[in-house]
């Protein structure tokens, strides 16, 4: 199936807001075998919207638009779609009920502008937006023997991401009712993408036609995604081929395979620690609480995450975590000696079996010839087992913090995995 994506909003073209919706949609449909034939970013302009929709409808089986559905005057997607599909509007009581429910949960008072979002085009089928007040609108267009669908979604990424699975499910029912799919992800570490591709060259060459392997690199690790697709009549055969291939791929990855499943390092750490009945604590300097923030962003983290300390100053390292002042003076705050003591200190004050400690130079200043910007020491403990290592991360301050946080989590995940 060919899909076109249209993202709408002046703020996108002005660079005030980054477009994350098109990438999320494209990544979500790729495993289904759908082809994204175009992605366009256009202004809140009626003619631009109309022309972009017209072109996309002529060249695609389905079109997804995001944005322009708010209650303000510059949100004109709905009226433009009424014009394109040559229809009027009506007030939808179910949409109004949904809006009231969302406002009640948020403790907000309804106003007329928001209530007017319940006015929807006559030609559309409404999909209730469980994450926001703008309804999702589904339009069918029949031209000769060709059926085309346009789905208009909100521009708020949280809402688009939350509702996209339901939209994709509806599109699957319409265009691929007799297709079955299988997906599995593999989190791979300690290898570059090019080295991994070289290792898997023979494996990929002999992949069955119904399977596809995708490389999805992130800072610090690579997510491999194996996708299988076939006709529903061949489901049993696909299931066997897919299972056998997953086992073969895991064997090929060997020690570089950290985790089987679609999960980020923070979630992997929480899962492994929870299953082992272990608790976690963090002592962060250069990462400034980022590791703790990632861990606590996952529901249920309280089962194993005890807490953390942002020991940014040397005094905090000494007074709270018990780091020896003479070691800071002799080796510097960014050193093996200091992060190892930080990890032992947080283990003690938090009563946690697992500890992560970081100390580094995130930049842009503060570096030296011996310890340039990007130098980060990380220490990880699980009970009496300790591992510490120095890294040199490239990039600006935020990138150094991001890479250091991810690497620290991966270090702990590996140590927890070894306990299994």
């Amino acid at each position: 199936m060919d899909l076109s994506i249209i993202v709408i909003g002046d703020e996108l073209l002005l660079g005030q807001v980054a477009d994350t919706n098109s990438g999320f949609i494209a990544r979500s449909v790729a495993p289904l075998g759908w082809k994204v034939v175009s992605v366009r970013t256009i202004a809140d302009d009626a003619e631009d919207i109309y022309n972009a929709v017209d072109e996309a409808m002529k060249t695609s089986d389905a079109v997804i638009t995001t944005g322009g559905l708010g209650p303000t005057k510059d949100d004109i997607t709905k009226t433009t779609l009424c014009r394109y599909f040559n229809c009027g509007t009506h007030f939808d009581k179910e949409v109004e009920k949904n809006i009231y429910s969302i406002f009640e949960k948020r403790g907000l008072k309804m106003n007329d502008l928001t209530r007017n979002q319940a006015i929807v085009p006559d030609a559309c089928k409404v999909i209730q937006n469980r994450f926001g007040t703008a309804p999702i609108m589904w339009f069918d267009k029949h031209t000769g023997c060709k059926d085309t669908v346009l789905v208009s979604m909100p521009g708020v990424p949280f809402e688009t991401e939350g509702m996209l699975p339901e939209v994709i499910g509806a599109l699957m029912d319409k265009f691929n009712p007799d297709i079955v799919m299988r997906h599995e992800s593999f989190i791979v570490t300690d290898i570059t993408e090019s080295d991994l591709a070289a290792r898997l060259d023979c494996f990929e060459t002999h992949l069955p036609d119904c399977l596809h392997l995708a490389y999805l690199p992130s800072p610090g690790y690579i997510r491999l995604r194996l996708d299988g697709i076939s006709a529903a009549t061949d489901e049993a055969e696909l299931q066997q081929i897919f299972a056998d291939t997953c086992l073969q791929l895991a064997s090929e990855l060997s020690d570089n395979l950290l985790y089987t499943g679609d999960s980020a390092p923070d979630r992997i750490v929480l899962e492994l620690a929870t299953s082992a009945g272990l608790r976690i604590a963090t002592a962060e300097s250069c990462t400034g609480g980022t590791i703790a923030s990632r861990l606590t962003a996952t529901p249920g983290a309280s089962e194993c995450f005890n807490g953390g300390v942002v020991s940014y100053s040397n005094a905090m390292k000494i007074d709270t975590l018990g780091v020896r002042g003479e070691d800071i003076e002799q080796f510097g705050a960014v050193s093996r000696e200091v992060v190892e003591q930080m990890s032992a200190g947080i283990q003690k004050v938090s009563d946690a079996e697992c500890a992560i400690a970081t100390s580094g130079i995130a930049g842009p200043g503060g570096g030296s010839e011996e310890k340039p910007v990007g130098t980060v020491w990380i220490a990880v403990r699980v009970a009496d087992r300790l591992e510490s290592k120095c890294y040199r991360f490239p990039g600006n301050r935020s990138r150094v913090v991001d890479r250091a946080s991810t690497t620290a989590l991966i270090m702990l995940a590996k140590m927890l995995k070894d306990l299994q």
Side-chain angles (χ1 to χ4, degrees), residues 358-391:
T358 63
S359 186
I361 306 164
S368 65
E369 186 174 345
E370 181 185 358
K371 298 177 182 178
V373 170
T375 301
V376 179
W377 271 97
I378 301 173
V380 174
R381 289 180 184 266
V382 176
D384 294 331
R385 185 180 171 189
L386 167 67
E387 180 180 344
S388 56
K389 189 173 180 180
C390 182
Y391 294 89

Side-chain angles (χ1 to χ4, degrees), residues 266-284:
D266 49 291
R267 289 176 176 266
I268 296 171
V269 164
L270 290 170
E271 180 181 325
L272 293 173
T274 300
S275 64
L278 301 175
R279 295 158 295 177
I280 306 167
T282 58
E284 302 181 61

Side-chain angles (χ1 to χ4, degrees), residues 93-108:
K93 287 288 187 181
E94 290 302 311
V95 174
E96 181 187 38
K97 186 187 299 184
N98 184 64
I99 295 172
Y100 267 112
S101 174
I102 289 172
F103 263 57
E104 186 176 22
K105 289 177 182 177
R106 297 176 182 175
L108 301 175

